Amino acid sequence: MSTDLYLRARLGESVREIIGETEMLSRMVDALGSPLNVLVPHQIVDNSEKYREVYRKHHLTGEVYFAHKANRSTALIRELAASETGVDVASLEELRHVLAAGFSGDRIMATGPKNTEFLWLAARCGALVNVDSREELVQLGELTARHPLPRVRVMLRLSAFESTGVTVLSRPSRFGSHVRQIGDLLDVVEKHRDTFDLVGVAYHLDTNGLPEKALALEGCLHAMRECVQRGFTPTAVDIGGGYGANYLAEQADWERYTTELSNAVLGTRPALTWQNHGYGLRAEAGTLRGALGLYPSHRPVAGERYLDELLSREAPSLRRPLATLLLENLYDLHVEPGRALVDQCGMTLAKVEEVRRTLSGDVLVRIGANSRDISMEEHAVMMDPILIKAAGTAGTDQPTGVYLSGNLCLEDDLITRRKVFLPHSPAPGDLLVFPNTAGYFMDFAADHALMQPIARKVAMFRDQGTWQWCLDEEYWPTKGSRA
Protein backbone atom coordinates (compact mmCIF):
# COMPACT_ATOMS: atom_id res chain seq x y z
CA MET A 1 0.00 0.00 0.00
CA SER A 2 1.34 3.44 -0.94
CA THR A 3 2.93 5.45 1.88
CA ASP A 4 3.16 8.78 0.09
CA LEU A 5 -0.28 10.31 0.53
CA TYR A 6 1.13 13.79 0.78
CA LEU A 7 -0.92 16.95 1.30
CA ARG A 8 1.75 19.38 0.19
CA ALA A 9 1.25 22.95 1.33
CA ARG A 10 1.09 25.87 -1.07
CA LEU A 11 4.04 28.14 -0.26
CA GLY A 12 4.35 31.81 -1.19
CA GLU A 13 7.69 33.18 -2.34
CA SER A 14 8.60 34.82 0.99
CA VAL A 15 7.57 31.79 3.03
CA ARG A 16 9.60 29.50 0.78
CA GLU A 17 12.67 31.71 1.18
CA ILE A 18 12.32 31.82 4.97
CA ILE A 19 11.94 28.04 5.22
CA GLY A 20 15.18 27.82 3.29
CA GLU A 21 16.96 29.71 6.11
CA THR A 22 17.23 26.48 8.10
CA GLU A 23 20.15 27.50 10.35
CA MET A 24 18.49 30.77 11.32
CA LEU A 25 15.20 29.03 12.10
CA SER A 26 16.96 26.48 14.29
CA ARG A 27 18.77 29.21 16.20
CA MET A 28 15.53 31.11 16.71
CA VAL A 29 13.83 28.06 18.22
CA ASP A 30 16.86 27.35 20.41
CA ALA A 31 16.72 30.93 21.71
CA LEU A 32 12.96 31.46 22.04
CA GLY A 33 11.60 27.96 22.55
CA SER A 34 9.24 25.58 20.84
CA PRO A 35 6.69 26.29 19.48
CA LEU A 36 7.63 29.55 17.79
CA ASN A 37 5.35 31.59 15.55
CA VAL A 38 6.93 33.40 12.61
CA LEU A 39 5.12 36.31 10.90
CA VAL A 40 5.78 38.02 7.54
CA PRO A 41 4.17 41.46 7.99
CA HIS A 42 4.67 42.82 4.48
CA GLN A 43 2.61 39.98 3.00
CA ILE A 44 -0.63 41.19 4.58
CA VAL A 45 -0.35 44.51 2.72
CA ASP A 46 0.37 42.69 -0.54
CA ASN A 47 -2.72 40.54 0.03
CA SER A 48 -4.87 43.59 0.69
CA GLU A 49 -3.77 45.12 -2.59
CA LYS A 50 -5.18 42.08 -4.42
CA TYR A 51 -8.63 43.00 -3.07
CA ARG A 52 -8.11 46.56 -4.29
CA GLU A 53 -7.42 45.17 -7.74
CA VAL A 54 -10.83 43.43 -7.69
CA TYR A 55 -12.44 46.74 -6.70
CA ARG A 56 -10.74 48.49 -9.62
CA LYS A 57 -11.80 45.72 -12.03
CA HIS A 58 -15.45 46.30 -11.08
CA HIS A 59 -15.08 50.11 -10.75
CA LEU A 60 -16.12 49.98 -7.10
CA THR A 61 -15.04 51.98 -4.08
CA GLY A 62 -15.06 51.08 -0.41
CA GLU A 63 -12.84 49.78 2.38
CA VAL A 64 -10.96 46.57 3.06
CA TYR A 65 -10.91 45.78 6.80
CA PHE A 66 -8.72 43.05 8.30
CA ALA A 67 -10.65 40.83 10.74
CA HIS A 68 -8.27 41.12 13.70
CA LYS A 69 -9.64 37.97 15.39
CA ALA A 70 -7.71 35.84 12.88
CA ASN A 71 -4.38 36.73 14.53
CA ARG A 72 -3.20 38.65 17.61
CA SER A 73 0.12 39.78 16.09
CA THR A 74 1.17 43.34 16.83
CA ALA A 75 3.53 43.36 13.85
CA LEU A 76 0.70 42.64 11.40
CA ILE A 77 -1.47 45.39 12.88
CA ARG A 78 1.33 47.97 12.83
CA GLU A 79 2.11 47.11 9.21
CA LEU A 80 -1.54 47.59 8.31
CA ALA A 81 -1.66 50.89 10.21
CA ALA A 82 0.96 52.20 7.78
CA SER A 83 -1.16 51.15 4.77
CA GLU A 84 -4.59 52.04 3.41
CA THR A 85 -6.28 48.96 4.91
CA GLY A 86 -8.65 49.26 7.83
CA VAL A 87 -9.23 46.85 10.70
CA ASP A 88 -12.28 45.07 12.08
CA VAL A 89 -12.21 44.58 15.86
CA ALA A 90 -14.52 42.22 17.73
CA SER A 91 -13.62 42.99 21.36
CA LEU A 92 -12.62 45.86 23.61
CA GLU A 93 -9.05 44.57 23.87
CA GLU A 94 -8.72 44.32 20.09
CA LEU A 95 -9.90 47.92 19.82
CA ARG A 96 -7.36 49.07 22.39
CA HIS A 97 -4.68 47.08 20.57
CA VAL A 98 -5.25 48.68 17.17
CA LEU A 99 -5.50 52.20 18.60
CA ALA A 100 -2.13 51.69 20.31
CA ALA A 101 -0.68 50.37 17.05
CA GLY A 102 -1.45 53.60 15.20
CA PHE A 103 -4.95 53.23 13.76
CA SER A 104 -7.23 56.25 13.84
CA GLY A 105 -10.89 55.65 14.65
CA ASP A 106 -12.15 56.42 11.15
CA ARG A 107 -10.29 53.31 9.86
CA ILE A 108 -11.79 50.94 12.43
CA MET A 109 -14.97 48.87 12.27
CA ALA A 110 -16.37 47.46 15.52
CA THR A 111 -18.22 44.15 15.15
CA GLY A 112 -19.17 41.16 17.27
CA PRO A 113 -20.67 41.05 20.79
CA LYS A 114 -20.20 44.40 22.53
CA ASN A 115 -20.37 45.41 26.19
CA THR A 116 -20.85 49.00 27.38
CA GLU A 117 -17.12 49.73 27.54
CA PHE A 118 -16.55 48.46 24.01
CA LEU A 119 -19.42 50.57 22.67
CA TRP A 120 -18.22 53.67 24.52
CA LEU A 121 -14.65 53.49 23.23
CA ALA A 122 -15.82 52.70 19.70
CA ALA A 123 -18.09 55.74 19.75
CA ARG A 124 -15.46 57.92 21.42
CA CYS A 125 -12.73 57.20 18.86
CA GLY A 126 -15.05 57.49 15.84
CA ALA A 127 -15.14 53.83 14.80
CA LEU A 128 -17.85 52.52 12.48
CA VAL A 129 -20.13 50.40 14.68
CA ASN A 130 -21.60 47.34 12.96
CA VAL A 131 -24.69 46.79 15.10
CA ASP A 132 -25.68 43.20 15.73
CA SER A 133 -29.22 43.58 17.12
CA ARG A 134 -32.00 46.00 17.98
CA GLU A 135 -31.05 45.67 21.65
CA GLU A 136 -27.48 46.70 20.92
CA LEU A 137 -28.70 49.66 18.87
CA VAL A 138 -30.93 50.80 21.75
CA GLN A 139 -28.03 50.41 24.18
CA LEU A 140 -25.80 52.51 21.94
CA GLY A 141 -28.48 55.19 21.67
CA GLU A 142 -28.91 55.34 25.44
CA LEU A 143 -25.13 55.55 25.86
CA THR A 144 -24.90 58.54 23.55
CA ALA A 145 -27.77 60.20 25.43
CA ARG A 146 -26.04 59.83 28.82
CA HIS A 147 -22.49 60.72 27.79
CA PRO A 148 -21.01 63.48 25.62
CA LEU A 149 -19.97 61.48 22.57
CA PRO A 150 -19.50 62.46 18.93
CA ARG A 151 -22.00 61.32 16.29
CA VAL A 152 -21.73 57.58 15.83
CA ARG A 153 -21.47 55.96 12.42
CA VAL A 154 -23.55 52.77 12.40
CA MET A 155 -24.29 49.88 10.08
CA LEU A 156 -27.15 47.43 10.59
CA ARG A 157 -26.12 43.79 10.38
CA LEU A 158 -28.84 41.59 8.85
CA SER A 159 -29.34 37.85 8.48
CA ALA A 160 -31.87 35.19 7.43
CA PHE A 161 -32.28 36.46 3.87
CA GLU A 162 -35.17 34.91 1.92
CA SER A 163 -35.31 33.95 -1.73
CA THR A 164 -38.31 34.75 -3.91
CA GLY A 165 -37.65 32.25 -6.70
CA VAL A 166 -35.65 29.05 -6.42
CA THR A 167 -35.23 28.24 -2.73
CA VAL A 168 -31.75 29.04 -1.43
CA LEU A 169 -31.17 27.57 2.00
CA SER A 170 -29.33 29.89 4.40
CA ARG A 171 -27.61 28.57 7.51
CA PRO A 172 -29.15 30.03 10.70
CA SER A 173 -26.91 32.45 12.60
CA ARG A 174 -26.98 33.93 16.08
CA PHE A 175 -25.50 37.13 14.64
CA GLY A 176 -27.43 39.92 12.98
CA SER A 177 -31.10 40.85 12.95
CA HIS A 178 -33.62 39.07 10.76
CA VAL A 179 -34.01 40.97 7.51
CA ARG A 180 -37.73 41.35 8.30
CA GLN A 181 -36.76 43.44 11.33
CA ILE A 182 -35.21 46.23 9.26
CA GLY A 183 -38.22 48.45 9.98
CA ASP A 184 -37.79 48.08 13.76
CA LEU A 185 -34.09 48.90 13.46
CA LEU A 186 -34.82 52.02 11.42
CA ASP A 187 -37.31 53.13 14.07
CA VAL A 188 -34.47 53.17 16.62
CA VAL A 189 -32.14 55.00 14.22
CA GLU A 190 -34.93 57.53 13.59
CA LYS A 191 -35.24 58.11 17.33
CA HIS A 192 -31.52 58.92 17.53
CA ARG A 193 -31.09 60.92 14.31
CA ASP A 194 -29.18 63.58 16.25
CA THR A 195 -26.48 61.11 17.29
CA PHE A 196 -26.50 58.32 14.64
CA ASP A 197 -25.19 58.48 11.08
CA LEU A 198 -26.62 55.48 9.21
CA VAL A 199 -23.83 54.40 6.85
CA GLY A 200 -25.59 51.32 5.51
CA VAL A 201 -26.36 47.66 6.09
CA ALA A 202 -24.25 44.53 6.43
CA TYR A 203 -24.22 40.78 6.53
CA HIS A 204 -21.74 38.14 7.66
CA LEU A 205 -22.57 34.53 6.81
CA ASP A 206 -20.91 31.39 8.15
CA THR A 207 -20.77 29.70 4.77
CA ASN A 208 -18.60 29.21 1.70
CA GLY A 209 -21.62 29.06 -0.58
CA LEU A 210 -21.75 31.67 -3.33
CA PRO A 211 -25.55 31.32 -3.84
CA GLU A 212 -26.19 32.19 -0.17
CA LYS A 213 -23.89 35.19 -0.31
CA ALA A 214 -25.38 36.44 -3.56
CA LEU A 215 -28.85 36.20 -2.00
CA ALA A 216 -27.63 38.11 1.08
CA LEU A 217 -26.01 40.87 -0.98
CA GLU A 218 -29.17 41.30 -3.03
CA GLY A 219 -31.15 41.36 0.22
CA CYS A 220 -28.89 44.13 1.51
CA LEU A 221 -29.60 46.15 -1.65
CA HIS A 222 -33.33 45.84 -0.99
CA ALA A 223 -32.73 46.91 2.63
CA MET A 224 -30.76 49.94 1.42
CA ARG A 225 -33.78 50.96 -0.67
CA GLU A 226 -35.96 50.75 2.44
CA CYS A 227 -33.48 52.97 4.28
CA VAL A 228 -33.76 55.56 1.51
CA GLN A 229 -37.56 55.39 1.59
CA ARG A 230 -37.40 56.21 5.29
CA GLY A 231 -35.43 59.38 4.55
CA PHE A 232 -31.90 58.16 5.29
CA THR A 233 -28.91 58.46 2.96
CA PRO A 234 -26.96 55.20 3.32
CA THR A 235 -23.77 54.91 1.30
CA ALA A 236 -22.25 51.45 1.88
CA VAL A 237 -22.93 47.73 2.00
CA ASP A 238 -20.66 45.56 4.13
CA ILE A 239 -20.43 41.88 3.13
CA GLY A 240 -18.09 40.67 5.88
CA GLY A 241 -15.54 37.91 5.36
CA GLY A 242 -15.52 34.22 4.55
CA TYR A 243 -13.43 34.33 1.36
CA GLY A 244 -11.33 31.37 2.38
CA ALA A 245 -7.77 30.32 1.60
CA ASN A 246 -6.21 27.70 -0.62
CA TYR A 247 -3.83 25.68 1.54
CA LEU A 248 -2.63 22.96 -0.82
CA ALA A 249 -0.35 23.17 -3.84
CA GLU A 250 -1.98 20.33 -5.77
CA GLN A 251 -5.64 19.46 -6.22
CA ALA A 252 -4.61 15.89 -7.02
CA ASP A 253 -3.20 15.49 -3.49
CA TRP A 254 -6.57 16.45 -1.97
CA GLU A 255 -8.64 14.25 -4.28
CA ARG A 256 -6.37 11.27 -3.77
CA TYR A 257 -6.28 11.64 0.01
CA THR A 258 -10.03 12.02 0.47
CA THR A 259 -10.61 9.00 -1.78
CA GLU A 260 -8.20 6.88 0.24
CA LEU A 261 -9.70 8.13 3.50
CA SER A 262 -13.06 6.82 2.35
CA ASN A 263 -11.46 3.47 1.54
CA ALA A 264 -9.83 3.37 4.98
CA VAL A 265 -13.16 4.02 6.70
CA LEU A 266 -14.67 1.17 4.67
CA GLY A 267 -11.79 -1.06 5.72
CA THR A 268 -10.46 -1.72 2.23
CA ARG A 269 -7.05 -0.26 3.08
CA PRO A 270 -5.07 0.33 6.32
CA ALA A 271 -6.21 3.16 8.55
CA LEU A 272 -5.12 6.71 7.67
CA THR A 273 -6.19 8.27 10.96
CA TRP A 274 -5.74 7.72 14.67
CA GLN A 275 -8.08 4.90 15.70
CA ASN A 276 -9.57 5.11 12.20
CA HIS A 277 -11.32 8.42 12.91
CA GLY A 278 -13.57 9.15 9.94
CA TYR A 279 -13.91 12.95 9.99
CA GLY A 280 -17.67 12.55 9.66
CA LEU A 281 -17.59 9.39 7.53
CA ARG A 282 -18.58 5.96 8.83
CA ALA A 283 -19.11 2.46 7.46
CA GLU A 284 -22.47 0.75 7.83
CA ALA A 285 -22.82 -2.77 6.45
CA GLY A 286 -20.13 -2.12 3.86
CA THR A 287 -21.63 1.20 2.77
CA LEU A 288 -20.07 4.62 3.34
CA ARG A 289 -22.34 6.93 5.33
CA GLY A 290 -22.13 10.49 6.65
CA ALA A 291 -20.47 13.58 5.21
CA LEU A 292 -16.81 14.57 5.17
CA GLY A 293 -16.45 17.28 7.82
CA LEU A 294 -13.26 18.87 6.57
CA TYR A 295 -12.40 22.32 5.27
CA PRO A 296 -11.75 22.06 1.51
CA SER A 297 -8.00 22.47 1.83
CA HIS A 298 -7.56 22.88 -1.92
CA ARG A 299 -9.69 25.84 -3.00
CA PRO A 300 -8.58 27.40 -6.29
CA VAL A 301 -11.35 30.00 -5.97
CA ALA A 302 -10.49 31.64 -2.68
CA GLY A 303 -9.49 35.01 -1.30
CA GLU A 304 -9.78 37.85 -3.78
CA ARG A 305 -10.79 35.39 -6.53
CA TYR A 306 -13.81 34.43 -4.46
CA LEU A 307 -14.76 38.10 -4.08
CA ASP A 308 -14.40 38.61 -7.83
CA GLU A 309 -16.64 35.64 -8.56
CA LEU A 310 -19.27 36.87 -6.09
CA LEU A 311 -19.36 40.35 -7.60
CA SER A 312 -19.58 38.91 -11.11
CA ARG A 313 -22.52 36.74 -10.14
CA GLU A 314 -26.09 37.69 -11.10
CA ALA A 315 -28.44 38.76 -8.33
CA PRO A 316 -30.99 35.93 -7.83
CA SER A 317 -34.11 37.99 -8.59
CA LEU A 318 -32.79 41.22 -10.16
CA ARG A 319 -30.84 39.10 -12.70
CA ARG A 320 -27.97 41.55 -13.09
CA PRO A 321 -24.36 41.34 -11.87
CA LEU A 322 -24.07 42.32 -8.22
CA ALA A 323 -21.13 44.63 -8.93
CA THR A 324 -23.23 46.47 -11.53
CA LEU A 325 -26.06 46.97 -9.03
CA LEU A 326 -23.64 48.40 -6.44
CA LEU A 327 -22.10 50.70 -9.03
CA GLU A 328 -25.42 51.98 -10.39
CA ASN A 329 -26.52 52.93 -6.88
CA LEU A 330 -23.11 54.54 -6.14
CA TYR A 331 -22.73 52.34 -3.06
CA ASP A 332 -19.38 51.67 -1.43
CA LEU A 333 -18.50 48.05 -0.74
CA HIS A 334 -16.83 47.06 2.55
CA VAL A 335 -15.22 43.65 3.11
CA GLU A 336 -13.64 42.08 6.21
CA PRO A 337 -11.36 39.19 5.22
CA GLY A 338 -9.53 37.46 8.06
CA ARG A 339 -8.06 34.08 7.10
CA ALA A 340 -7.74 35.22 3.48
CA LEU A 341 -5.84 38.41 4.32
CA VAL A 342 -3.18 36.57 6.35
CA ASP A 343 -2.70 33.88 3.71
CA GLN A 344 1.06 33.16 3.51
CA CYS A 345 1.71 35.60 6.39
CA GLY A 346 3.12 33.14 8.90
CA MET A 347 4.19 29.70 10.03
CA THR A 348 4.73 27.81 13.27
CA LEU A 349 7.96 26.01 14.15
CA ALA A 350 8.03 23.07 16.55
CA LYS A 351 10.90 20.85 17.67
CA VAL A 352 10.66 17.07 17.56
CA GLU A 353 10.99 15.81 21.15
CA GLU A 354 10.46 12.06 20.84
CA VAL A 355 9.92 9.41 18.18
CA ARG A 356 8.61 5.99 19.20
CA ARG A 357 6.90 3.01 17.65
CA THR A 358 3.79 1.63 19.32
CA LEU A 359 3.12 -2.09 19.73
CA SER A 360 0.71 -1.91 16.80
CA GLY A 361 3.49 -0.50 14.61
CA ASP A 362 2.38 3.14 14.44
CA VAL A 363 5.09 5.79 14.61
CA LEU A 364 4.24 8.43 17.23
CA VAL A 365 6.14 11.73 17.03
CA ARG A 366 5.83 14.06 20.03
CA ILE A 367 6.64 17.69 19.36
CA GLY A 368 7.26 20.71 21.57
CA ALA A 369 3.79 22.14 20.96
CA ASN A 370 0.18 21.11 21.40
CA SER A 371 -3.08 21.13 19.49
CA ARG A 372 -3.97 24.56 20.91
CA ASP A 373 -0.71 26.06 19.63
CA ILE A 374 -1.32 24.65 16.16
CA SER A 375 -5.09 24.34 15.89
CA MET A 376 -5.49 23.04 12.34
CA GLU A 377 -7.37 20.00 13.65
CA GLU A 378 -9.91 22.20 15.43
CA HIS A 379 -10.54 24.07 12.17
CA ALA A 380 -10.56 20.83 10.10
CA VAL A 381 -7.74 21.93 7.79
CA MET A 382 -5.21 19.42 6.47
CA MET A 383 -1.74 20.15 5.11
CA ASP A 384 1.67 18.62 5.68
CA PRO A 385 4.37 20.18 7.83
CA ILE A 386 7.84 20.52 6.38
CA LEU A 387 10.65 18.57 8.04
CA ILE A 388 13.99 20.28 8.63
CA LYS A 389 16.61 17.75 9.67
CA ALA A 390 18.99 18.83 12.41
CA ALA A 391 22.70 18.30 11.80
CA GLY A 392 23.76 14.81 12.85
CA THR A 393 20.28 13.45 13.61
CA ALA A 394 19.36 9.92 12.61
CA GLY A 395 16.59 8.88 10.28
CA THR A 396 15.98 7.11 7.02
CA ASP A 397 15.49 8.60 3.57
CA GLN A 398 12.30 6.58 3.12
CA PRO A 399 8.82 8.20 3.21
CA THR A 400 7.29 7.63 6.63
CA GLY A 401 3.74 7.88 7.92
CA VAL A 402 3.60 9.28 11.47
CA TYR A 403 1.11 10.54 14.02
CA LEU A 404 1.94 13.92 15.59
CA SER A 405 1.20 14.23 19.29
CA GLY A 406 1.46 17.27 21.55
CA ASN A 407 3.05 18.11 24.90
CA LEU A 408 -0.13 18.01 27.01
CA CYS A 409 -0.98 15.14 29.36
CA LEU A 410 -4.28 14.65 27.55
CA GLU A 411 -5.31 11.65 25.47
CA ASP A 412 -6.75 13.82 22.69
CA ASP A 413 -3.76 16.14 22.33
CA LEU A 414 -2.99 15.23 18.73
CA ILE A 415 -1.80 17.95 16.36
CA THR A 416 -3.88 16.09 13.80
CA ARG A 417 -5.66 12.74 13.88
CA ARG A 418 -4.44 12.18 10.34
CA LYS A 419 -1.40 10.06 9.65
CA VAL A 420 1.07 12.57 8.22
CA PHE A 421 3.38 11.35 5.48
CA LEU A 422 6.88 12.83 5.56
CA PRO A 423 9.55 12.32 2.88
CA HIS A 424 12.08 11.31 5.59
CA SER A 425 11.73 9.85 9.06
CA PRO A 426 12.05 12.46 11.83
CA ALA A 427 14.33 12.28 14.85
CA PRO A 428 14.58 14.21 18.14
CA GLY A 429 16.09 17.64 17.52
CA ASP A 430 14.59 18.04 14.05
CA LEU A 431 12.21 20.92 13.28
CA LEU A 432 8.73 20.70 11.83
CA VAL A 433 7.51 23.81 10.01
CA PHE A 434 3.73 24.14 9.90
CA PRO A 435 3.10 26.58 7.05
CA ASN A 436 0.31 29.12 6.65
CA THR A 437 -0.85 29.10 10.27
CA ALA A 438 -1.38 32.87 10.61
CA GLY A 439 -5.13 32.61 9.95
CA TYR A 440 -6.68 31.23 13.16
CA PHE A 441 -4.29 28.27 13.65
CA MET A 442 -1.48 30.19 15.35
CA ASP A 443 -2.97 31.77 18.45
CA PHE A 444 -6.77 31.74 18.28
CA ALA A 445 -6.99 28.78 20.69
CA ALA A 446 -3.59 29.14 22.42
CA ASP A 447 -3.67 28.98 26.20
CA HIS A 448 -1.55 28.04 29.23
CA ALA A 449 -3.01 24.55 29.73
CA LEU A 450 -0.85 22.52 32.15
CA MET A 451 1.20 25.73 32.55
CA GLN A 452 2.77 25.19 29.14
CA PRO A 453 4.03 28.47 27.68
CA ILE A 454 2.26 30.16 24.78
CA ALA A 455 4.41 30.44 21.68
CA ARG A 456 6.47 33.57 21.21
CA LYS A 457 6.11 35.47 17.96
CA VAL A 458 8.81 36.91 15.72
CA ALA A 459 8.46 39.12 12.66
CA MET A 460 10.58 38.55 9.56
CA PHE A 461 11.63 41.36 7.25
CA ARG A 462 14.15 41.90 4.49
CA ASP A 463 17.00 44.31 5.05
CA GLN A 464 19.65 44.88 2.39
CA GLY A 465 18.66 41.71 0.59
CA THR A 466 18.71 39.34 3.57
CA TRP A 467 16.07 38.10 5.97
CA GLN A 468 16.21 39.54 9.48
CA TRP A 469 13.96 39.04 12.48
CA CYS A 470 12.84 40.71 15.68
CA LEU A 471 10.27 39.98 18.36
CA ASP A 472 6.73 40.61 17.17
CA GLU A 473 6.14 43.39 19.70
CA GLU A 474 9.35 45.14 18.64
CA TYR A 475 8.45 45.31 14.94
CA TRP A 476 7.59 48.65 13.37
CA PRO A 477 6.98 49.41 9.68
CA THR A 478 10.19 51.44 9.65
CA LYS A 479 12.29 48.26 9.88
CA GLY A 480 14.12 46.89 6.88
CA SER A 481 13.44 47.41 3.21
CA ARG A 482 11.55 45.52 0.52
CA ALA A 483 14.55 45.42 -1.79
Side-chain angles (χ1 to χ4, degrees):
M1 191 64 65
S2 174
T3 57
D4 60 350
L5 287 172
Y6 299 122
L7 292 175
R8 288 162 286 203
R10 185 175 64 88
L11 302 177
E13 180 180 353
S14 294
V15 169
R16 191 180 298 277
E17 289 180 5
I18 292 169
I19 291 174
E21 301 282 349
T22 56
E23 291 186 10
M24 179 169 60
L25 296 181
S26 295
R27 290 196 301 269
M28 287 162 51
V29 172
D30 288 341
L32 298 173
S34 172
L36 180 66
N37 291 322
V38 179
L39 282 308
V40 190
H42 78 77
Q43 186 64 50
I44 195 170
V45 177
D46 292 350
N47 291 348
S48 180
E49 178 57 27
K50 295 174 183 177
Y51 283 81
R52 297 286 181 191
E53 290 173 3
V54 174
Y55 276 49
R56 288 190 286 270
K57 174 183 175 180
H58 294 281
H59 309 288
L60 296 174
T61 55
E63 301 299 330
V64 178
Y65 295 90
F66 168 55
H68 190 357
K69 64 184 178 181
N71 198 288
R72 305 177 197 173
S73 166
T74 295
L76 293 178
I77 295 300
R78 287 176 180 164
E79 188 73 17
L80 284 178
S83 74
E84 297 181 354
T85 304
V87 64
D88 156 27
V89 296
S91 72
L92 174 61
E93 289 306 312
E94 285 189 353
L95 177 54
R96 293 172 67 178
H97 185 207
V98 302
L99 289 171
F103 272 93
S104 55
D106 60 320
R107 297 175 57 201
I108 300 171
M109 180 181 290
T111 65
K114 306 176 191 69
N115 59 18
T116 300
E117 293 78 14
F118 187 11
L119 285 172
W120 182 89
L121 186 56
R124 179 72 265 168
C125 75
L128 175 55
V129 181
N130 204 321
V131 178
D132 205 52
S133 66
R134 182 184 182 280
E135 289 73 15
E136 182 182 304
L137 191 61
V138 170
Q139 183 184 10
L140 181 59
E142 292 173 348
L143 196 65
T144 58
R146 292 195 309 267
H147 301 279
L149 291 167
R151 290 181 65 86
V152 185
R153 297 179 299 138
V154 298
M155 299 193 84
L156 308 177
R157 177 179 279 185
L158 305 174
S159 65
F161 297 92
E162 299 166 319
S163 57
T164 56
V166 177
T167 300
V168 177
L169 297 179
S170 184
R171 185 181 304 180
S173 173
R174 71 185 184 93
F175 296 107
S177 302
H178 196 290
V179 67
R180 296 181 194 172
Q181 296 176 300
I182 183 67
D184 294 337
L185 296 172
L186 293 177
D187 288 343
V188 179
V189 177
E190 176 71 37
K191 181 179 177 181
H192 297 279
R193 270 187 183 269
D194 292 341
T195 53
F196 287 168
D197 281 333
L198 180 61
V199 174
V201 300
Y203 75 77
H204 185 97
L205 303 181
D206 182 25
T207 179
N208 296 324
L210 280 166
E212 288 180 63
K213 293 197 174 184
L215 175 65
L217 180 45
E218 183 182 57
C220 283
L221 293 172
H222 291 312
M224 291 285 277
R225 184 190 314 155
E226 189 164 345
C227 294
V228 172
Q229 291 171 348
R230 291 285 297 268
F232 298 102
T233 55
T235 59
V237 175
D238 171 48
I239 61 173
Y243 306 100
N246 181 21
Y247 290 105
L248 299 183
E250 301 292 341
Q251 182 175 351
D253 284 2
W254 181 244
E255 293 177 348
R256 184 181 177 204
Y257 181 82
T258 52
T259 298
E260 291 302 317
L261 176 62
S262 299
N263 292 333
V265 171
L266 286 170
T268 60
R269 64 151 295 148
L272 287 173
T273 57
W274 186 254
Q275 298 179 355
N276 208 22
H277 180 73
Y279 288 107
L281 300 177
R282 66 187 187 278
E284 291 183 2
T287 301
L288 193 66
R289 304 289 188 187
L292 188 62
L294 291 173
Y295 185 92
S297 296
H298 187 271
R299 288 186 61 184
V301 179
E304 75 284 352
R305 292 182 181 179
Y306 185 99
L307 176 62
D308 182 30
E309 188 157 323
L310 174 62
L311 293 174
S312 302
R313 198 177 184 91
E314 280 193 350
S317 62
L318 297 175
R319 310 303 300 171
R320 303 183 64 201
L322 290 163
T324 300
L325 295 171
L326 287 165
L327 184 62
E328 288 179 346
N329 286 281
L330 302 179
Y331 291 148
D332 288 339
L333 177 72
H334 298 336
V335 296
E336 299 149 42
R339 179 198 308 264
L341 214 59
V342 289
D343 185 29
Q344 304 298 322
C345 286
M347 66 197 83
T348 301
L349 314 180
K351 183 170 288 190
V352 175
E353 302 286 357
E354 179 187 75
V355 179
R356 64 185 177 93
R357 188 175 292 273
T358 67
L359 189 62
S360 63
D362 291 326
V363 178
L364 197 59
V365 176
R366 176 166 54 84
I367 65 175
N370 58 64
S371 57
R372 293 160 173 80
D373 299 315
I374 308 165
S375 59
M376 290 186 295
E377 182 76 10
E378 179 180 338
H379 293 271
V381 170
M382 291 184 170
M383 58 180 160
D384 292 341
I386 296 159
L387 177 65
I388 297 179
K389 296 292 293 181
T393 59
T396 69
D397 289 334
Q398 296 299 317
T400 305
V402 305
Y403 290 106
L404 301 177
S405 66
N407 58 12
L408 298 181
C409 188
L410 295 172
E411 191 67 39
D412 65 350
D413 185 29
L414 294 168
I415 306 303
T416 174
R417 292 186 179 91
R418 174 177 67 94
K419 180 180 285 188
V420 174
F421 293 91
L422 300 173
H424 311 287
S425 60
D430 293 344
L431 277 184
L432 285 177
V433 180
F434 294 84
N436 216 357
T437 56
Y440 293 105
F441 312 149
M442 183 177 285
D443 60 17
F444 191 78
D447 61 26
H448 287 287
L450 278 66
M451 299 183 70
Q452 293 284 7
I454 290 179
R456 303 285 297 273
K457 289 190 181 76
V458 299
M460 303 291 298
F461 56 93
R462 293 190 69 85
D463 191 16
Q464 298 183 359
T466 62
W467 284 103
Q468 305 293 329
W469 67 274
C470 67
L471 293 175
D472 179 76
E473 61 269 22
E474 294 179 358
Y475 177 85
W476 293 91
T478 54
K479 283 186 177 291
S481 65
R482 296 293 296 272

